[in-house]
């Protein structure tokens, strides 16, 4: 912080370059654009997708397919990219060119792409729908959709703003599958609390944007990048531990299920877990947990857990015993 807090975005800084190199070597991507937030990263991805297609096919191939129940941000364009009607209110007119498919319904999803007159430039998905109810995409669905996109030169973009950087037990959630996304977006976990986002591009997409096509004043701020560099070092050395903690929590939830009869099912990956309740309502459970000192989230009708990746076993035990006592009431 005392060395350099900001430069004009005409210049690179060392922390930016170091972080970009680390991200590329950990993930296999080629280039990185740094932003300030997840929504700004997704805006960048959308711009790359549209320009990629414009450069190659001309004007009318601009549509982007996202999934129902997705969440991609709160700017006018990323609200529209979000496949939930409740987000498409008040702020009209929204950006054109988004259509929505049902997650895990491959024939419905491919039908939309096939019946589109070749108007789609990209598909954007979350590997685990976070806000949408902690719903992981099925392996077959994801891999088949990816394959169709690859064969038809439709860019495959994965919004890893919530799932990225260790959250699901690997650096990227997409690593769990046999897919090679063209663009990945990151944010939340990357900064460890500092504002930063990133767009990662591969050999197909790295050269789409050139000088002056896109930019940001504070994106890639040296302090945020230096912090993110430390986060990346720590997380990449903690993946085994994250997976162990995930298994430990799922095991304990299984016991709580037997003790309370209040847990119907557990979904998610790594330290991103959703609990479907039997009779209680998630908002009531959240409120009672908070009163006992446990912060827990909801997603649709589920209780959602996204504990810090460095949570201790003692803290897991303490938190889950509060959850169990609330579910027993
Ligand atoms: C939080 C989130 C965003 C938006 O990120 P912001 O930093 O709040 O703009 C986008 N996509 C997903 C999947 C998210 O979870």
């Amino acid at each position: 912080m005392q060395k350099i807090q900001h430069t004009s975005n005409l210049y690179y800084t060392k922390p930016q370059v170091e972080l970009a190199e680390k991200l590329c070597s950990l993930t296999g991507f080629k280039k990185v654009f740094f932003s300030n937030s997840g929504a700004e990263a997704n805006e960048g991805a959308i711009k790359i997708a549209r320009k990629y297609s414009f450069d190659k096919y001309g004007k009318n191939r601009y549509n982007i397919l996202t999934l129902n129940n997705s969440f991609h941000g709160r700017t006018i364009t990323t609200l529209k990219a979000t496949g939930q009607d409740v987000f498409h209110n008040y702020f009209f007119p929204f950006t054109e060119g988004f259509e929505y498919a049902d997650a895990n319904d491959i024939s419905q999803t491919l039908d939309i792409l096939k019946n589109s007159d070749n108007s789609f430039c990209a598909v954007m998905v979350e590997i685990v729908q976070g806000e949408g109810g902690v719903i992981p995409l099925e392996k077959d669905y994801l891999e088949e959709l990816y394959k169709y996109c690859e064969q038809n030169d439709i860019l495959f973009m994965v919004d890893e703003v919530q799932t990225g950087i260790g959250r699901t037990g690997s650096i990227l959630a997409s690593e769990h599958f046999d897919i090679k996304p063209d663009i990945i977006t990151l944010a939340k976990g990357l900064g460890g609390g500092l504002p930063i986002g990133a767009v990662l591009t591969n050999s197909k997409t790295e050269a789409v944007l050139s000088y002056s096509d896109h930019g940001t004043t504070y994106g890639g701020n040296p302090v945020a990048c230096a912090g993110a560099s430390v986060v990346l070092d720590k997380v990449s050395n903690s993946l085994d531990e994250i997976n162990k903690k995930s298994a430990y929590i799922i095991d304990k939830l299984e016991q709580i299920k037997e003790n309370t009869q209040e847990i119907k099912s557990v979904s998610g990956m790594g330290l991103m877990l959703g609990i479907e309740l039997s009779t209680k309502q998630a908002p009531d459970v959240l409120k009672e947990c908070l009163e006992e000192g446990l912060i827990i989230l909801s997603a649709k009708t589920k209780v959602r857990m996204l504990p810090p990746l460095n949570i201790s076993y003692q803290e897991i035990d303490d938190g889950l015993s509060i959850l169990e006592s609330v579910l027993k009431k």
Side-chain angles (χ1 to χ4, degrees):
M1 285 176 78
Q2 290 185 350
K3 265 190 205 153
I4 183 165
Q5 273 195 340
H6 178 65
T7 60
S8 147
N9 61 8
L10 293 175
Y11 302 96
Y12 290 121
T13 63
K14 207 173 156 205
Q16 271 172 356
V17 175
E18 284 173 357
L19 178 61
E21 279 180 342
K22 271 183 203 173
L23 276 170
C24 289
S25 78
L26 279 171
T27 62
F29 281 83
K30 296 283 190 194
K31 281 192 183 176
V32 181
F33 175 83
F34 289 115
S35 64
N36 298 279
S37 69
E40 192 193 350
N42 285 339
E43 291 268 351
I46 290 163
K47 284 173 80 172
I48 293 172
R50 287 188 166 172
K51 184 162 185 294
Y52 173 86
S53 219
F54 179 91
D55 290 345
K56 219 165 154 182
Y57 301 97
K59 250 184 174 167
N60 291 316
R61 199 174 175 274
Y62 54 70
N63 284 326
I64 295 175
L65 189 75
T66 63
L67 299 179
N68 287 317
N69 269 327
S70 56
F71 184 79
H72 296 297
R74 299 171 188 83
T75 61
I76 294 286
T77 296
T78 57
L79 278 175
K80 193 65 196 295
T82 294
Q84 301 186 52
D85 287 343
V86 289
F87 287 100
H88 305 154
N89 272 315
Y90 321 125
F91 313 115
F92 302 99
F94 290 94
T95 309
E96 281 176 45
F98 290 90
E99 289 189 39
Y100 316 103
D102 289 336
N104 297 326
D105 185 340
I106 192 67
S107 59
Q108 188 256 16
T109 304
L110 291 186
D111 274 353
I112 297 176
L113 294 174
K114 285 174 183 165
N115 297 324
S116 69
D117 239 355
N118 193 25
S119 70
F120 280 90
C121 62
V123 162
M124 179 159 69
V125 301
E126 297 159 89
I127 300 284
V128 182
Q129 294 192 322
E131 313 293 317
V134 202
I135 301 165
L137 294 186
E138 287 161 13
K139 186 176 164 63
D140 287 352
Y141 176 82
L142 197 51
E143 292 176 0
E144 229 176 292
L145 179 55
Y146 167 72
K147 208 155 79 195
Y148 182 86
C149 289
E150 196 195 15
Q151 285 163 354
N152 292 278
D153 203 17
I154 295 169
L155 295 184
F156 196 80
M157 315 203 287
V158 181
D159 177 346
E160 296 236 24
V161 168
Q162 192 162 144
T163 55
I165 316 297
R167 179 53 59 186
T168 68
S170 53
I171 289 294
L172 300 176
S174 31
E175 288 170 37
H176 297 290
F177 302 92
D178 196 13
I179 58 174
K180 292 221 172 320
D182 299 299
I183 300 175
I184 293 269
T185 54
L186 297 170
K188 293 192 173 96
L190 182 58
L194 295 175
I196 187 168
V199 188
L200 275 51
T201 53
N202 69 1
S203 52
K204 204 163 163 181
T205 51
E206 64 175 333
V208 171
L209 295 180
S210 53
Y211 187 74
S212 85
D213 286 334
H214 188 49
T216 176
T217 299
Y218 283 130
N221 171 276
V223 178
C225 285
S229 235
V230 175
V231 169
L232 265 190
D233 290 345
K234 297 211 172 195
V235 171
S236 54
N237 288 318
S238 315
L239 296 173
D240 285 348
E241 200 49 40
I242 291 168
N243 285 310
K244 277 188 205 148
K245 285 174 190 168
S246 171
Y248 182 78
I249 293 175
I250 290 170
D251 219 42
K252 285 213 131 194
L253 288 175
E254 200 53 47
Q255 290 167 24
I256 297 175
K257 180 177 173 179
E258 279 173 28
N259 296 346
T260 66
Q261 309 295 323
E262 259 304 331
I263 295 178
K264 222 192 232 169
S265 66
V266 177
S267 63
M269 294 166 95
L271 290 178
M272 182 174 181
L273 297 169
I275 301 171
E276 196 183 357
L277 300 168
S278 303
T279 61
K280 288 187 185 288
Q281 302 295 311
D284 301 335
V285 172
L286 261 54
K287 195 165 152 272
E288 287 177 43
C289 283
L290 193 57
E291 280 163 9
E292 302 296 324
L294 172 67
I295 301 176
I296 200 158
L297 299 161
S298 70
K300 301 282 170 207
T301 58
K302 289 183 186 171
V303 168
R304 178 168 48 145
M305 292 197 290
L306 284 131
L309 302 182
N310 62 352
I311 191 170
S312 68
Y313 285 92
Q314 185 60 53
E315 287 164 328
I316 294 174
D317 288 347
D318 292 349
L320 289 180
S321 83
I322 292 175
L323 180 66
E324 177 165 358
S325 71
V326 166
L327 291 181
K328 262 187 183 152
K329 274 189 195 166

